Structure formats: C-alpha cells, structure tokens
Amino acid sequence: MIIRAHILVCGGTGCVASKSNEIMAQFEKHALANGIEKEIKVVKTGCFGLCEKGPIVVIYPEGATYSKVSPDDVKEIVEEHLLKGRIVKRLLLGDAEAQDVARSLDNVGFFSRQLRIALRNCGVINPEVIDEYIARDGYAALAKVLTKMTPQEVIAEMKKSGLRGRGGAGFPTGMKWEFAAVQKADQKYVCCNADEGDPGAFMDRSVLEGDPHSVIEAMAIAGYAIGSNQGYVYVRAEYPIAVQRLRLAMDQAREYGLLGRNILETGFDFDLEIRLGAGAFVCGEETALMTSIEGKRGEPRPRPPFPAVKGLWDKPTILNNVETYANVPVIFNKGAEWFASIGTEKSKGTKVFAVGGKINNTGLVEIPMGTPLREVIYDIGGGIPNGKKFKAVQTGGPSGGCIPMEHIDIPIEYESLVAIGSMMGSGGMIVMDEDNCMVDIAKFFLEFTVDESCGKCPPCRIGTKRMHEILERITQGKGELADLEKLETLANSIKQSALCGLGQTAPNPVLSTLRYFREEYLAHVVDKKCPAGVCKSMMTYTIIADKCKGCSLCAKKCPTSAISGEIKKPYLIDQSKCIKCGVCMDSCKFAAITNR
Amino acid sequence: MKSLKDLEAIREKAKLELSLRETTGKTRVIVGMATCGIAAGARPVMAAFNQELQLRGIQTASVSMTGCVGVCRYEPMCDVIDPNGEKTTYVKLDAEMAKRIVAEHIVNGHVVYEYTIGAAEKQ
C-alpha cells in the first residue's frame, strides 16, 4: 500500500509535555481501527516554534495545521480528515478557521514573516530518521567539502558568508576556525556549546531535538577545516530529549559511515562524543565549558591564551554554539554569497529568538538580521495579551538589558543592540508589560547571576551579591537616593574587573534599567512606592469606601482576618494584620480594593 | 553505506517519500471520498493515482481527498488542480482512467477532455 498522508506531530519538549506522545499513539490506534494504518504515516518531528498553540499536528498533502490538539480530538481527525477528506475546521490554527480551505504553515502570519535557515528542518522532518535529513540535502555539504574543497577554501567560504557566533558575543566564525587551523599541533578539537542557560532561551534545545544531524554535519565540516578528528558536544543533562535524539543521530551517522573512519571514502576521520553538563550557568562560558569537559570543576580561566591556541587539554580548539553550527551546512549548499545577501552589513543571515513573557505567540521565531524589534513583537509575536501596554523587552538574558518603547523600532543586529545597552545574547526575548516592575526584573536577573557565579573571582562573587542586597533594600522600601549611585559605581567596576563573560555582563540588567527606567527606581527610593504594584512591602491595601457594597466576601477570604465591618457598610483593613497577599483584591467583585 | 554514490541513492529515495510534505507549486489531485464516492469505487481510483505517481517517480503532484460535492451521479470523480490554480473535474472514473490522467494531464499537461464533467454533461 502506498502512503498517502503524513501526520506530523510535534515532538519538542513543550508539546511532549502536553501529551504529544499520547496523540501519536492515538493516531496509530484510530488508523488501525479504521483500517487505514498502511496508508498513513505518523511522523514525530521537531519544534514548529509555535509553542503557545501546541501540541501542533500538521497533515500532508493538504498541509492542514491543527493547533492545541488533545488526545481526545484524534478520533475526530482520523474519521473526518483522514477517512473522509473533511478538514476539522474547529482545530485549525488561528485565522485559518474563518477560511474554507486548508492552509499550509507558510500562510499562517506567525510563519510567513520568518526566514528559517537554522530551523529549516524543525517541524519538517523526523529527527530520529537520518534518511529524512538526507532527503533535505543533508550531508551534501559535508560531501561537497570533503571531495571538492581544501580546508583553506572551507575557511575562506565561512569568512565570506559573514556568519558570526550565535551564542552571544558574535565573533566571526570563519576567523575563529582560521585561528585554530593555522596552529601546529598533533591533536585539535571541535566543540559544540549546547549548554543553553539563559532563562527563557530554548533555541539550541529545539535545534538538537528537531534537527540533530545539522549540528553533526557542521562539526565534521569544522573538523575538516581545522584539521581535527575529534569533537565534543557539551549539552546539559536537563535536556533529556535533545540528548537522546543527538545520541541516536550520532549512531545513525556512524552506521552510514558519515562519522568515524574514512568518511565517504575520502580518508577523513571524525567522531563525536557527548559530554553532559550538570546545569551550571558558568559552564556556558567557553573556558569553563572546556574545563568541565576535561572532568574538572567548571571554572573559567583568563584569556589569552584563547581556545584556538590552547583549549581542551591545552590543544587548539574551536567552540561554537548549536545555532551557529546549524547554519553551516546551508552556507555550503547555497553558497556564501547567498548567505551574505541576507541580513545587514555587519550582521549576516538570520537569528532565532525564543520569545516569551507577556506576548501572545510564545515560541521560537527565526528572522533575518535587521528586522525591526517591533515586527517581532507585534507582527510575529501577536502583541501584548489582555490589551496591556508594552513596557520593555529583555534580550540577552542575564547578560543583556531591557529595551524600552522608545527603541522598539531599532533593527535587530549585534551592534545596534549593544549601542542601546543590551545585547543579542543567545536569543532569549522576554516581553514585559505595564504590570512588570523594572527594579524587580533587574533584581530577578541579578539573583540568577548571584546564584550562578562560580565564586572564582571576587568582583563577581562579592560584587554581584552586594548589588543584589542594594536592590533587595530598594524593593523593600528601605532604599536611599545614594543607593542608585552606589549601584552604578559597583556595576561599572564589576564590568571592568570580573574574570569572565558571566561577571563582566552581570550588571547589564541593572545598568540598562537604571538608564531607561530611572524614574521607577526614584519612585521606589524617594516616594517609597512601586508604580507597577509588584513590590509587596511597598503596597498598602485599602478599601475604597465609595465603591464597597459591604458584601463581606473579602473578609471571608482574608487568611489573617484582617478585614472587618458590618454587612452593607464599607469594610476596613487592619494594616497591622495585613500580610499583603492580595486575596481580597482578587476576590472583590466591585473593584473596591486598591494596593497603590 | 560507504561512498558518495550510496549517499545520493539514499537521498533520491528519501526525497520521493518526503515530497508528500511539499505544498507549493504542485498539481493537486483531489478525489471525492464520501459514501457515494466510495460506493461507486473511489478507493481503487485513489490507489491507482497514488500507484501511478509513485511508479513514475513524480514528486510534483499530491493526492488528497474530499467529501461529497453533490453530484453523486458522476462519482467516482476527482479535481485536478494545476499549480496555476486551473481546475479540471474528471467524472465516472476507474483505475485505468486514473492512470491515463496521470500520463496525459499531470505528466504532459494535456487535459483528457473526454473524461471531464463537460463531456459527461453533453451526453
């Protein structure tokens, strides 16, 4: 029997958590019950990027995209769509519902503005079947490089493409490879940084889960370019699905002779090993990562010497991020000119962002460099939910900064983001609305770096701790005007004196919020008020007598019995008993309680 | 697998299978598969379309199905939609006719007029 329909079910971490494995089992079960099990094929695929609307199921050849599918919906999809050819309209993604036709992914607003290079295979192929990767030009770049190009030509092509590191700092990848290639050594190493640690960033996980072969292929190309036969992928143990699929992909590549000895009969040897990280944020820093691969405590060391000269076990080593590698095979398949034609003058190609926070379409988006921030947030991200006002967007995680409304039209590229006090980072993008307190946000990120500081150098170990204490004071209403100056002085000296990137960038969230939201800091320090109503100790819950109907609901709900009064007369809150939990405000049906 | 040739062989085979997931620039064959269509023999017609396309290694056409369009007396029927959106409706099909439609219409671009709904209406 010929397969007439492919059912692609998202197998990314997000969708697996919302039962996509069970959905796949249900498809198999109902196909069997209807006698069409030999005509259809259920395919587990990688992340489509639209995690907010998951689990996602796409049925080809129609290309019908179903969102928020539950295992209970499967029977209807099988009986209606697969058996009778009637699309189940109520489950179609977004505005497709209103239309009478099945719509492919490309037509959905969320996808139509994107350009998918690094994510080209995510949501298209089954990551656990190497043949599907090969069908999409997989390993063609490796074959071309090994049979038709010299290592020097490979590096020249990489430099011409203008690809820069996607892990955060944006160092030109071709140059990095060249530095390692010119070193004379008996052994060199190729490493992949999959220790994705920024809160809210998950693009590397999605690439490893949805398209592991692209990373394997690129690492082999890098090995050929610099003269290395051994690679390491450093991935955190908290990514079990990514690790499992990468392992499977490596086994399949070995079976096909695309890893190991004498690859494609060219005499080139290259193999990979996985190293699991225990989840320390500092191990995303290159020198700490390599120290951890060596089996030692993950601590950074001063540079120079740079890894290209003295890296893993003191041998020349290149270290690139997952997303950087995912771009490499495409550069060789389509040419460096093609890649360099996308993006801006200094930032070429695309960048993947994990968009989260106060935004409608939480998920993964890949856009050409130079796309205005506004387009990502409003056109692709679908804007801010519940009619709230946009306040800021945080990029670059704990190393980045907050970008306010006044800069929302800037093009997204490495330099422009640094110029306004943030950075590209690995691609986390957290959107904040009017209900977010910027001092609290700065405190949150700093708390993260205080926790994750490895403790080796004093500026980071002690300095960030002191900064955090000052922020803690400010959010408790005990701040003074001089604290803001102290924060700035401390921040600048940490930036200049910390040993590694973690410490040097840790003050950024504080500095950027001080720069753009100083009046909010002043409100905390001078007026002892939190304008967004987040910092608890500064809030006073009061009942507005005019609005209170005396229904007694708040008094019943109050866990500390701080509210008292007579039915049908305005109630009162005893401030000495109030623990500021907010239950009264949430339960009041007349909006008669305020916390400002 | 050892050589470059083996890799290309795997690629060709896998490409054919994955071509089902391509939705743009394709000829779409849509077979009526409601109760009326199935009773009149639409299943072997759809199977014949699929077999013939696979036999010829055609990646630029897809076969899907639809419900009853209301002219049950013409079943089994199908629409062939060219990449430019042009639609041809073929009626009263059987497996042999399906094969001819693949050969003449999908491969060579010539509408098989004698099988169309227009020809049936004239009779």
Side-chain angles (χ1 to χ4, degrees), chain A residues 41 82 124 134 138 256, chain B residues 1 11 17 20-21 64-65:
Chain A
K41 185 173 169 182
L82 293 174
V124 180
I134 292 174
Y256 272 22
Chain B
M1 189 187 77
R11 189 184 327 280
E17 192 179 311
L20 189 85
R21 291 176 212 165
S64 55
M65 43 194 213

Side-chain angles (χ1 to χ4, degrees), chain A residues 22 63 84 113 176 187 243 252 269 271 288 302 341 348 438 464 506 527 577 579 582 587:
Chain A
E22 197 183 326
K84 297 176 190 157
R113 284 168 193 269
K176 201 182 243 183
Q187 176 74 56
V243 172
Q252 290 173 347
D269 304 336
D271 213 334
S341 72
K348 303 294 188 191
M438 299 316 283
T464 57
D527 310 332
K577 285 186 188 165
I579 55 164
S587 62

Side-chain angles (χ1 to χ4, degrees), chain A residues 391 434-437 520 524 529-536 538-539 541 585 595-596:
Chain A
K391 187 167 190 178
E434 52 191 305
D435 291 343
N436 287 103
C437 166
E520 224 170 298
H524 283 76
K529 278 205 161 71
C530 174
V534 173
C535 300
K536 265 189 186 174
M538 265 174 260
M539 285 188 264
Y541 283 88
M585 198 159 113
N595 64 358
R596 303 284 159 105

Side-chain angles (χ1 to χ4, degrees), chain A residues 2 4 6 39 41 43 60-62 82-85 124 131-132 134-135 137-138 140 143 256 264-265, chain B residues 1-4 7 10-11 14-15 17-18 20-21 23 43 46 50-51 54 62-67:
Chain A
I2 291 162
R4 62 174 172 84
H6 287 185
E39 301 169 28
K41 185 173 169 182
V43 182
Y60 290 103
E62 292 86 358
L82 293 174
L83 210 55
K84 297 176 190 157
V124 180
D131 286 22
E132 297 208 355
I134 292 174
D137 292 329
Y256 272 22
L264 293 170
E265 294 175 333
Chain B
M1 189 187 77
K2 278 277 173 284
S3 69
L4 207 58
L7 178 66
I10 293 173
R11 189 184 327 280
K15 252 189 179 157
E17 192 179 311
L18 245 66
L20 189 85
R21 291 176 212 165
T23 52
R43 275 198 174 274
M46 189 165 79
N50 276 320
Q51 265 158 18
Q54 174 144 355
S62 71
V63 181
S64 55
M65 43 194 213
T66 186

Side-chain angles (χ1 to χ4, degrees), chain A residues 6 45 87 145 147 175 291 315 391 432 435 446 486:
Chain A
H6 287 185
T45 184
I87 306 265
V145 162
T147 56
M175 257 159 79
T291 315
K315 303 291 182 188
K391 187 167 190 178
M432 284 160 276
D435 291 343
L446 207 62
K486 275 186 206 155

